């Protein structure tokens, strides 16, 4: 469902030679895959993710979502893909601090301009994660793990085809990491494709495919399948 | 208007600034003036200031006029027949207490208020009108009873109002009067009004100038504020884009926020301004030192609507740069915040 | 939601304004009037000034209490009091005691309008904070219920 063909991103630096953050990456993700991309900081994983989600323009190459080239679309169609087909969980703190948890979760629903107000759907998701009592609270009142789970709920509100997570356990302790990954596993069991970027090798065991990114190049670890 | 020499400014202050003045002519020039070519009618008036001012007694201007020959004061008394004003009866200006039907005491004598004038914005508001006979009787009483009498002697007059024939040249007639009677000063109404008009235009020009400057400063300050706050919220906007908002949606979000803020602020400002302007109307009138009347409700509403529109427009203009700037920042917003 | 000291500071400022307006900012006449029988009396505006001084001091105290107490219920009650003090400051120069008769006297030209403006602002602040504190109570109760 997601295919990367010769995806490249080059940064021009004035006095130094241009920097190749992503170097001719090929990757094919099928429905039902749980792909983990592992690499050190600066290996180009977040850059690649930003291009896939449609936030950063590739220098060359293609990103095909269900056969359609993402970057050949206009702004409106790309926004629709980001809203309905992709559930994106950004790195770090990504909730809006002036909205309640309920409003944060249903934000993508409201952006889609669909019928209804999404409250019931958001409540169902929060109940699934046993966080319904936090609905009227604000992000500042939540722990790191709770905020990450809210971000996952927000990514799921529009029933996306693929969940894309950038360092979902990056700043969490061991126990909270396990909690979050169990949640990912539950989501995966429901048939949602997952693409996760991380620098922690331990959590890659939750998925069915592992790729390594180094100096902009992607290599799949066949033995981990 | 013919007054004793040196009293021209006193007359103007009485008519326009609600000042209370007393001045008299030494002789009755009514017949002499009527004989001058170009003069259609002459009507005498008598001005008496009621009290010397201690801090809290407010002097009232007493104006005696001759109803049979008068052509100025009766135009302010549209609903009553000034020729029927009797001895001991007075018509009070809008700011003189008490109102219609009551009694006012001057120099120890009661006078009946038979009518009250509406607001004129001029000196008439703190004046009291009576027949010449009543006014001259008042002077006589003041000689006997008041610590500071209003004057001495009978048949006193303060000013002679001269109505000119249609084809007369006011300046020419004025010169004729002054050369025939060098003990007088002549005030031409047109010139007096022109002087006020010039003063008002100067004030208006100053106010518009200040308004224009303030508007420019407001736009600049608001533009800076919007730019700073929009920069602070780059992360938030990046998130909106990442979650599926189009650039247009983001721009309309910003614009809607700006409109809500501008309209709320403008409404609060307009309501507060109207309230304060209404409450402090007296202070404004006195500080201006010019004829002043409270704006009507209709003109206030129109002014408020215009202020509202301009304020909202100012907010939108100030926000425009930020909206365009954010619209162009698309990809870099998220990236810089997260990497 | 955190309690901010803004309302308290605003109330204290308004209280100072109410107290000082008839005495220093737009002072009323201090002279006394002499009656026909030789007796001297203070005018109405003097007594209005004294009453407003007292009300102003009470508003200042109210503002200090609003700053000092943290509970929303207490602050709601104090805000209602602020509104009532504002109302008192409004009716004293207009209805209860009043000012001098003539419209061009100092107390009518400056003092009365200034007191009206400040007391209306006080009432608005009082009512505004009452609603704000009440909504804070409501959302606190909502959170407690869910837990």
């Amino acid at each position: 469902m997601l295919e990367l063909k010769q995806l490249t991103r080059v940064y021009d630096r004035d006095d130094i030679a241009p920097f190749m953050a992503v170097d001719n990456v090929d990757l094919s993700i099928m429905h039902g895959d749980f792909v983990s991309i592992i690499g050190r900081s600066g290996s180009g994983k977040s850059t690649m993710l930003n291009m896939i989600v449609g936030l950063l323009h590739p220098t060359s190459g293609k990103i095909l979502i269900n056969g359609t080239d993402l970057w050949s679309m206009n702004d409106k169609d790309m926004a629709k893909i980001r809203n309905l087909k992709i559930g994106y969980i950004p790195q770090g703190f990504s909730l809006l601090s002036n909205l309640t948890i309920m409003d944060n979760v249903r934000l993508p629903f409201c952006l889609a301009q669909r019928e209804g107000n999404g409250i019931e759907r958001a409540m169902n998701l929060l109940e699934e994660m046993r966080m319904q009592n936090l609905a009227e609270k604000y992000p500042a009142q939540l722990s790191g793990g709770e905020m990450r789970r809210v971000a996952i709920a927000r990514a799921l509100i529009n029933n996306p085809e693929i969940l894309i997570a950038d360092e979902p356990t990056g700043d969490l302790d061991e126990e909270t990491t396990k909690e979050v990954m169990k949640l990912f596993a539950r989501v995966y069991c429901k048939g949602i494709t997952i693409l996760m970027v991380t620098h922690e090798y331990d959590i890659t065991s939750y998925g069915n495919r592992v790729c390594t990114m180094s100096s902009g190049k992607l290599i799949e670890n066949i033995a981990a399948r | 208007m013919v007054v004793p020499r040196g009293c021209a400014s006193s007359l103007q202050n009485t008519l326009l600034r609600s000042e209370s003045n007393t001045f008299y002519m030494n002789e009755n020039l009514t017949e002499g003036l009527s004989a001058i070519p170009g003069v259609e009618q002459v009507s005498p008036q008598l001005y008496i200031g009621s009290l010397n001012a201690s801090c809290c007694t407010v002097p009232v201007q007493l104006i005696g006029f001759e109803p049979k020959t008068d052509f100025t004061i009766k135009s302010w008394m549209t609903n009553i027949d000034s020729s029927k004003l009797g001895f001991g009866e007075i018509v009070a200006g809008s700011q003189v207490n008490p109102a219609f039907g009551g009694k006012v005491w001057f120099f120890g004598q009661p006078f009946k208020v038979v009518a009250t004038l509406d607001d004129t914005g001029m000196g008439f508001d703190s004046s009291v009108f009576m027949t010449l006979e009543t006014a001259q009787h008042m002077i006589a009483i003041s000689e006997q009873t008041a610590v500071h009498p209003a004057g001495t002697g009978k048949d006193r007059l303060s000013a002679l109002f001269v109505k000119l024939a249609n084809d007369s040249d006011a300046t020419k007639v004025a010169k004729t009067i002054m050369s025939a009677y060098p003990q007088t000063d002549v005030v031409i109404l047109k010139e007096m009004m022109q002087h006020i008009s010039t003063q008002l235009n100067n004030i208006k020009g100053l106010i518009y100038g200040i308004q224009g400057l303030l508007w420019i400063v407001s736009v600049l300050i608001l533009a800076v504020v919007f730019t700073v706050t929009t920069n602070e919220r780059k992360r938030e906007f990046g998130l909106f884009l990442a979650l599926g908002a189009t650039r247009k949606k983001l721009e309309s979000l910003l614009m809607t926020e700006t409109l809500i803020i501008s309209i709320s602020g403008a409404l609060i400002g307009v309501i507060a301004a109207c309230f304060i302007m209404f409450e402090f109307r007296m202070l404004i009138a006195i500080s201006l030192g010019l004829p002043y009347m409270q704006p009507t409700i209709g003109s206030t509403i129109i002014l408020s609507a215009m202020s509202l529109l301009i304020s909202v427009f100012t907010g939108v203009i100030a926000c425009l740069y930020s909206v365009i700037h954010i619209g162009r920042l698309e990809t870099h917003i998220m990236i810089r915040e997260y990497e | 939601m955190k309690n901010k000291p803004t309302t308290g500071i605003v109330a204290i400022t308004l209280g100072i304004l109410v107290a000082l307006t008839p005495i220093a900012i737009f002072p009323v006449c201090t002279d006394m009037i002499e009656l026909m029988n030789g007796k001297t009396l203070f005018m109405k505006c003097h007594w209005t000034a004294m009453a407003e001084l007292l009300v102003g001091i009470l508003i200042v105290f109210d503002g200090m209490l609003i700053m000092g107490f943290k509970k929303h219920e207490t602050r709601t009650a104090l805000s209602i009091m602020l509104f009532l003090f504002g109302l008192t400051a409004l009716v004293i120069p207009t209805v209860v005691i009043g000012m001098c008769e003539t419209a061009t006297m100092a107390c009518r030209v400056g003092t009365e309008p200034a007191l009206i403006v400040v007391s209306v602002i006080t009432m608005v602040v009082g009512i505004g904070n009452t609603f704000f504190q009440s909504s804070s109570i409501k959302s606190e109760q909502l959170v407690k219920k869910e837990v």
Side-chain angles (χ1 to χ4, degrees):
Chain A
M1 69 143 304
L2 173 68
E3 210 175 328
L4 311 178
K5 284 187 173 172
Q6 298 284 292
L7 193 65
T8 308
R9 173 72 196 185
V10 180
Y11 285 107
D12 279 318
R13 291 165 165 179
D14 292 328
D15 297 332
I16 322 166
F19 170 64
M20 203 169 253
V22 176
D23 188 357
N24 290 294
V25 165
D26 290 305
L27 180 65
S28 199
I29 300 176
M30 307 296 172
H31 281 286
D33 274 344
F34 185 156
V35 180
S36 306
I37 299 178
I38 189 162
R40 287 183 328 196
S41 307
S43 56
K45 1 180 250 302
S46 290
T47 308
M48 188 178 70
L49 220 60
N50 282 324
M51 286 193 282
I52 294 170
V53 177
L55 297 175
L56 181 61
H57 209 297
T59 310
S60 63
K62 283 190 181 161
I63 299 168
L64 303 169
I65 294 183
N66 292 331
T68 319
D69 184 0
L70 181 70
W71 285 97
S72 68
M73 297 181 201
N74 59 25
D75 180 52
K76 196 175 169 188
D77 292 332
M78 260 175 89
K80 222 173 171 178
I81 299 272
R82 282 202 292 267
N83 184 251
L84 297 173
K85 300 248 185 268
I86 300 173
Y88 179 48
I89 303 158
Q91 193 176 18
F93 176 72
S94 68
L95 303 180
L96 293 175
S97 46
N98 52 334
L99 294 181
T100 59
I101 298 307
M102 166 60 75
D103 288 338
N104 263 294
V105 171
R106 61 191 191 101
L107 183 58
F109 188 94
C110 299
L111 285 172
Q113 287 182 331
R114 301 156 91 166
E115 273 179 35
N117 54 19
I119 291 180
E120 205 184 313
R121 204 133 148 191
M123 209 31 141
N124 287 338
L125 280 164
L126 289 173
E127 276 167 0
E128 258 184 60
M129 298 181 189
R130 293 184 298 274
M131 290 196 304
Q132 64 274 26
N133 56 314
L134 300 176
E136 290 305 313
K137 292 214 167 180
Y138 287 86
Q141 297 166 290
L142 268 56
S143 68
E146 284 169 335
M147 284 199 280
R148 199 52 49 80
R149 280 151 60 201
V150 170
I152 296 170
R154 182 181 65 192
L156 293 171
I157 188 118
N158 283 337
N159 288 326
E161 285 183 26
I162 179 168
L163 206 65
I164 298 180
D166 193 350
E167 305 271 10
T169 59
D171 44 2
L172 304 176
D173 59 62
E174 205 179 308
E175 206 175 308
T176 319
T177 299
K178 273 190 195 153
E179 246 178 71
V180 170
M181 289 317 298
K182 276 185 189 161
L183 186 53
F184 270 109
R186 278 212 305 273
V187 167
Y188 177 49
C189 287
K190 289 188 181 170
I192 297 176
T193 311
I194 300 179
L195 169 62
M196 180 179 73
V197 149
T198 181
H199 62 264
E200 294 173 64
Y201 189 78
D202 294 341
I203 61 171
T204 59
S205 58
Y206 284 87
N208 68 331
R209 288 170 66 181
V210 179
C211 301
T212 308
M213 189 117 184
S214 175
S215 303
K217 292 193 189 298
L218 189 76
I219 305 159
E220 184 153 359
N221 188 349
I222 308 290
R225 275 207 191 193
Chain B
M1 295 167 281
V2 181
V3 294
R5 181 158 277 271
C7 295
S9 54
S10 298
L11 174 74
Q12 289 186 53
N13 290 338
T14 298
L15 291 177
L16 303 172
R17 293 191 187 189
S18 306
E19 271 181 32
S20 183
N21 286 292
T22 306
F23 50 90
Y24 305 119
M25 287 179 155
N26 289 323
E27 52 192 306
N28 193 339
L29 302 171
T30 312
E31 275 181 36
L33 287 176
S34 304
I36 291 175
V39 170
E40 196 177 292
Q41 199 171 326
V42 179
S43 183
Q45 286 187 11
L46 180 59
Y47 299 113
I48 311 166
S50 67
L51 285 167
N52 66 322
S54 60
C55 100
C56 302
T57 48
V58 175
V60 169
Q61 181 73 60
L62 310 178
I63 301 177
F65 70 103
E66 182 56 64
K68 286 190 207 126
T69 56
D70 169 64
F71 55 87
T72 53
I73 291 169
K74 70 179 180 191
S75 53
W76 291 98
M77 301 186 187
T78 47
N79 288 347
I80 57 167
D81 187 356
S82 59
S83 61
K84 294 216 173 100
L85 202 61
F87 184 79
E89 290 179 341
I90 59 172
V91 173
S94 58
Q95 287 166 14
V96 177
N97 285 313
F100 164 75
K103 276 197 166 64
V104 183
W105 291 77
F106 292 113
F107 307 113
Q109 295 275 301
F111 295 88
K112 188 181 169 197
V113 178
V114 297
T116 315
L117 290 180
D118 283 336
D119 283 337
T120 61
M122 304 206 302
F124 290 167
D125 292 340
S126 54
S127 300
V128 150
F129 300 88
M130 61 198 74
T131 61
L132 214 53
E133 202 190 341
T134 310
Q136 284 166 347
H137 173 69
M138 216 179 261
I139 293 179
I141 302 167
S142 79
E143 279 180 77
Q144 297 155 23
T145 58
V147 174
H148 301 279
T152 53
K154 288 183 181 177
D155 298 329
R156 287 297 201 169
L157 292 175
S158 301
L160 290 161
F161 280 64
V162 177
K163 188 177 181 184
L164 300 175
N166 277 339
D167 51 356
S168 308
D169 181 350
T171 320
K172 215 176 169 186
V173 175
K175 276 193 181 145
T176 311
I177 293 172
M178 280 171 68
S179 56
Y181 303 102
Q183 70 274 39
T184 61
D185 265 336
V186 178
V187 178
I188 300 174
L189 185 68
K190 226 187 210 170
E191 283 174 9
M192 190 173 83
M193 289 304 163
Q194 204 128 24
H195 177 63
I196 295 167
S197 168
T198 311
Q199 276 186 291
L200 280 170
N201 281 335
N202 288 343
I203 291 175
K204 222 166 57 168
L206 187 67
I207 290 174
Y208 281 144
I210 293 173
Q211 271 182 343
L213 273 169
L214 274 175
W215 184 79
I216 292 169
V217 168
S218 311
V219 171
L220 289 171
I221 291 177
L222 280 174
V224 167
V225 166
F226 275 124
T227 308
V228 166
T229 50
T230 313
N231 265 335
E232 298 274 302
R233 295 170 67 193
K234 262 195 257 178
R235 168 195 211 102
E236 188 182 327
F237 299 137
L239 201 65
F240 275 111
L241 288 174
L243 294 178
T246 58
R247 232 181 302 164
K248 268 208 172 101
K249 177 91 190 179
L250 199 62
E251 286 167 9
S252 79
L253 204 85
L254 264 173
M255 266 302 176
T256 310
E257 275 182 12
T258 305
L259 272 171
I260 292 173
I261 294 168
S262 295
I263 291 173
S264 320
L267 268 173
I268 292 171
V270 160
I271 291 170
C274 288
F275 180 51
I276 290 170
M277 188 183 80
F278 177 74
E279 283 302 320
F280 282 98
R281 60 194 182 284
M282 256 306 173
L283 190 60
I284 294 170
I286 291 171
S287 308
L288 267 178
L290 290 167
Y292 174 85
M293 269 181 77
Q294 185 73 7
T296 59
I297 290 180
S299 60
T300 308
I301 289 174
I302 292 171
L303 204 64
S304 304
M306 277 172 60
S307 303
L308 215 79
L309 272 167
I310 292 172
S311 303
V312 172
F313 178 65
T314 306
V316 168
I317 292 218
C319 152
L320 224 58
Y321 170 73
S322 306
V323 168
I324 296 167
H325 180 61
I326 280 294
R328 286 197 193 136
L329 274 183
E330 197 188 348
T331 55
H332 295 286
I333 301 169
M334 274 292 281
I335 301 208
R336 289 213 177 122
E337 297 296 316
Y338 289 100
E339 281 191 353
Chain C
M1 296 277 271
K2 281 191 185 161
N3 273 322
K4 291 175 188 166
T6 324
T7 313
I9 292 170
V10 168
I12 290 170
T13 311
L14 289 168
I16 293 170
L17 282 172
V18 167
L20 291 184
T21 293
I23 292 170
I25 303 170
F26 286 104
V28 297
C29 292
T30 48
D31 286 8
M32 299 170 87
I33 45 171
E34 195 176 317
L35 300 177
M36 299 274 272
N37 58 13
K39 224 180 163 183
T40 53
L41 280 179
F42 278 118
M43 291 175 286
K44 267 204 241 181
C45 48
H46 168 82
W47 299 114
T48 297
M50 293 297 108
E52 294 285 17
L53 176 64
L54 181 61
V55 173
I57 291 170
L58 290 172
I59 293 174
V60 168
F61 273 124
D62 195 6
M64 286 162 71
L65 290 172
I66 290 176
M67 279 179 75
F69 281 98
K70 301 292 175 200
K71 267 190 129 185
H72 289 298
E73 285 88 347
T74 318
R75 284 180 162 215
T76 307
L78 289 168
S79 301
I80 295 172
M81 285 307 301
L82 184 65
F83 169 77
L84 291 172
F85 282 138
L87 186 63
T88 311
L90 179 66
V91 298
I92 285 175
T94 53
V95 177
V96 175
I97 302 178
M99 297 288 201
C100 298
E101 293 275 355
T102 315
T104 47
M105 295 176 80
C107 55
R108 289 282 302 276
V109 165
T111 320
E112 193 185 1
L115 281 171
I116 290 172
V117 168
V118 174
S119 52
V120 165
I121 295 173
T122 307
M123 286 163 68
V124 167
V125 169
I127 262 228
N129 204 44
T130 304
F131 281 116
F132 175 72
Q133 297 295 334
S134 306
S135 68
S136 299
I137 294 171
K138 267 189 203 152
S139 52
E140 257 183 3
Q141 285 171 344
L142 211 71
V143 168
K144 278 184 188 160
K145 227 189 249 178
E146 283 165 1
V147 170

